[in-house]
Amino acid sequence: MSELEKSVYDFISKHALLTSGQRILVACSGGVDSVALLLFLAVHRERWNVKVAAAHVDHMLRGEESAEDGRFVQGLCEQLGIPFFGGRVPVPAVLEEEGGNVQDVCRVGRYKFFQEIMQKEQYPLLATAHHAEDQLETVLMQLAKGSLPIGIRPSRQMESGTVIRPFLSVMKRDLLEFVEKHGIAFREDPSNESDAYLRNRYRHHIIPKILSETPTAAVNVVKMTSDLQDDENLLNSLVKQHVAAHVSFTAEGLPTFSVKRFAAMHTALQKRFIPLVLKYIYDGESSPIELNIALLNLIQFHLSDVQGTVSIDLPKGYRFVREYEQVFIVKGQEPFVLKDVALEKGVWQRWGNWLLNWDDADNIDAVDDNERYFSLQENDLPLRVRSKREGDRMLLPGMKAPKRLSRIFIDEKISAEKRHMLPVITTANDEVCAIPGVRYGIQFKKHKTEQDRYILRFKEL
């Protein structure tokens, strides 16, 4: 077994990229890297007991020349005895109609075609030919942007299956030698020589200088990124546990959590906690571009305090809101208001995230702090429940004049977002008499007296 084969075999085994009986679709442009990958997997398909096919996409950027790339790959597949799937993405037409970056449009169109073939033809694995120098380029570009230099992962999940990169541990020169040893031709894309693209500038002007000084730099970076990826996987698993334990959801299904619990986490987990929480509001999709490092740092900064309120606009009409010690993600500018409803005597009724009940006090003993005895005139019943309103007041025990609910909420450090979700109990005449779990009017007592005919019971879900 050659050094190349041993290196690839060890890498595949270490990262569990292949198992017997799998079907692999190879992304093959016709260049030396992808031709080497296609050839390598075809040569070793019986040993691994795998089925190999190739997919090629013509981006239609170079006319007949790019069309010839597809015919070349198809001919190679016939020579190797493996299935071929060819597709076309009209990149020039897309750019003219929609604009955008050439490389981004190519990549999106290319992977869309790959996923269609994977689904239709039942290929759960897509193999790409990224190698050690690609990893070095990626790490340098990440460092330049201030990102964590974890590089390219050996595998990643996508909608139609898994992308694997069996060649990440080997150098490009080894791939060239492998192809030449087997007498296989390959195609050269002229765009690879252009300095118009950032990655090409790294490849032409930076990578050669690094490798001339330290020939093992690319291989060293592969080992380093493997360790960093292991660390990142561990931290991500830990932060998922924290999110599951500490994040709850409002009636609208939006996340909320305690600042104190956030502060108790290690800073390494805090940095990962916020993006993970925000994924809930974007249905698990990749966070919008507007969620950049500066915005995430701003959010984390405001989580270092529990005084006052903070509101930060997020993409797609969402807002990050910290009210004292509680954080909410809200949609739009206006708070959600629940309906005003009458509470039927003797019946547990749900209102938002609360269960409420009032009944005769006879033969019912209060067992916890979620119950209060009260007495009201018949014309003040039934009790009603609603959200707070501007100007609401409640007469508290020991006070001569009713106190504004807004002042009560401030005194009790109830966040503005939560205020609209708390049940405000009123009489039939709309006189505010209780805010369960917060404060109670003069009609309510914790311990039953001879005058108290009724009991209010409540549970927060």
Side-chain angles (χ1 to χ4, degrees):
M1 183 182 294
S2 68
E3 286 297 320
L4 169 68
E5 291 171 319
K6 184 178 185 306
S7 177
V8 175
Y9 264 77
D10 289 346
F11 189 81
I12 289 174
S13 176
K14 176 182 178 181
H15 297 284
L17 300 184
L18 289 178
T19 58
S20 177
Q22 287 185 304
R23 292 166 60 83
I24 310 167
L25 185 67
V26 179
C28 187
S29 66
V32 62
D33 302 343
S34 59
V35 166
L37 178 60
L38 181 60
L39 176 61
F40 187 93
L41 292 175
V43 168
H44 294 276
R45 57 188 153 176
E46 292 185 5
R47 182 171 183 175
W48 273 317
N49 185 31
V50 294
K51 301 292 184 182
V52 180
H56 173 85
V57 174
D58 178 4
H59 298 112
M60 304 175 67
L61 289 168
R62 295 178 289 115
E64 182 60 25
E65 185 179 16
S66 60
E68 181 58 32
D69 291 344
R71 290 190 286 269
F72 165 78
V73 176
Q74 184 175 11
L76 178 59
C77 289
E78 293 173 357
Q79 181 181 343
L80 296 173
I82 61 176
F84 168 80
F85 302 99
R88 305 174 78 197
V89 177
V91 173
V94 173
L95 290 171
E96 183 176 353
E97 181 176 346
E98 303 177 8
N101 177 278
V102 174
Q103 289 184 315
D104 289 342
V105 172
C106 288
R107 181 171 54 255
V108 170
R110 182 166 65 246
Y111 274 87
K112 180 180 179 182
F113 174 73
F114 292 155
Q115 293 198 79
E116 289 172 355
I117 298 300
M118 292 170 73
Q119 290 178 333
K120 181 179 179 182
E121 304 294 336
Q122 298 299 300
Y123 286 93
L125 296 182
L126 175 69
T128 63
H130 296 91
H131 50 74
E133 283 140 285
D134 291 324
Q135 187 70 297
L136 177 57
E137 293 167 4
T138 301
V139 165
L140 291 174
M141 293 169 70
Q142 289 173 335
L143 285 171
K145 294 177 180 178
S147 302
L148 189 67
I150 61 173
I152 308 168
R153 294 184 179 273
S155 66
R156 70 172 177 89
Q157 296 298 312
M158 60 180 185
E159 184 178 346
S160 302
T162 305
V163 179
I164 62 172
R165 289 131 179 166
F167 278 177
L168 266 184
S169 63
V170 297
M171 301 290 288
K172 186 180 182 75
R173 64 173 181 271
D174 298 325
L175 304 183
L176 181 59
E177 289 176 5
F178 179 76
V179 170
E180 291 177 343
K181 177 182 175 181
H182 286 79
I184 300 295
F186 54 87
R187 303 276 294 179
E188 292 288 358
D189 185 343
S191 66
N192 290 335
E193 301 303 316
S194 171
D195 276 352
Y197 305 116
L198 177 62
R199 185 172 287 273
N200 282 0
R201 295 196 292 274
Y202 272 78
R203 185 170 301 167
H204 298 157
H205 306 293
I206 298 175
I207 301 301
K209 292 184 181 297
I210 293 176
L211 293 178
S212 66
E213 292 289 339
T214 310
T216 60
V219 175
N220 293 341
V221 163
V222 171
K223 295 176 181 177
M224 179 197 74
T225 54
S226 179
D227 291 340
L228 287 175
Q229 289 165 9
D230 287 342
D231 294 346
E232 187 71 4
N233 290 339
L234 174 61
L235 289 170
N236 286 337
S237 68
L238 291 175
V239 79
K240 286 178 181 178
Q241 294 174 21
H242 280 277
V243 168
H246 302 320
V247 174
S248 57
F249 295 88
T250 63
E252 298 83 16
L254 296 174
T256 176
F257 60 90
S258 163
V259 176
K260 286 187 176 180
R261 290 189 172 182
F262 174 84
M265 299 178 201
H266 191 281
T267 53
L269 297 178
Q270 290 179 355
K271 294 174 183 177
R272 293 161 177 81
F273 183 91
I274 299 168
L276 187 57
V277 168
L278 293 177
K279 280 189 176 182
Y280 283 107
I281 68 176
Y282 301 111
D283 299 322
E285 69 184 59
S286 296
S287 297
I289 190 68
E290 296 94 330
L291 286 178
N292 54 35
I293 298 296
L295 180 55
L296 294 175
N297 287 341
L298 179 63
I299 291 173
Q300 186 165 352
F301 171 78
H302 285 295
L303 287 173
S304 65
D305 193 9
V306 294
Q307 300 302 315
T309 65
V310 174
S311 178
I312 300 173
D313 289 334
L314 299 174
K316 299 186 178 180
Y318 291 94
R319 285 184 297 133
F320 164 92
V321 177
R322 180 185 59 72
E323 291 281 353
Y324 299 101
E325 298 174 3
Q326 193 70 20
V327 170
F328 299 88
I329 305 296
V330 299
K331 179 72 172 177
Q333 298 300 316
E334 294 299 324
F336 180 76
V337 179
L338 291 165
K339 293 181 179 179
D340 178 351
V341 295
L343 297 175
E344 184 179 347
K345 182 181 177 183
V347 177
W348 282 96
Q349 185 162 336
R350 181 164 183 171
W351 186 89
N353 286 332
W354 294 77
L355 284 176
L356 302 162
N357 169 278
W358 70 281
D359 205 343
D360 290 324
D362 295 342
N363 301 321
I364 299 179
D365 295 324
V367 296
D368 58 36
D369 201 44
N370 288 349
E371 297 170 325
R372 288 291 188 279
Y373 293 102
F374 68 97
S375 180
L376 286 171
Q377 299 296 323
E378 290 300 320
N379 61 349
D380 287 326
L381 297 172
L383 294 179
R384 302 185 67 84
V385 59
R386 60 171 171 79
S387 297
K388 81 173 190 69
R389 295 174 183 166
E390 187 67 28
D392 273 344
R393 295 173 181 267
M394 180 167 62
L395 183 59
L396 301 175
M399 297 190 68
K400 296 182 178 180
K403 187 173 183 178
R404 285 183 175 272
L405 263 59
S406 57
R407 187 68 251 176
I408 293 174
F409 288 138
I410 292 173
D411 292 344
E412 298 295 327
K413 295 187 176 181
I414 304 297
S415 71
E417 300 302 327
K418 189 174 181 180
R419 294 170 197 174
H420 293 277
M421 306 307 297
L422 285 174
V424 173
I425 305 298
T426 72
T427 67
N429 301 312
D430 203 35
E431 178 186 356
V432 177
C433 55
I435 308 169
V438 182
R439 294 295 299 271
Y440 303 88
I442 59 172
Q443 305 92 336
F444 287 78
K445 303 175 183 67
K446 188 171 183 179
H447 302 288
K448 188 176 183 300
T449 67
E450 292 184 359
Q451 291 77 28
D452 296 321
R453 298 178 53 189
Y454 308 105
I455 186 172
L456 172 69
R457 295 180 289 176
F458 52 90
K459 302 175 184 177
E460 185 175 9
L461 303 177

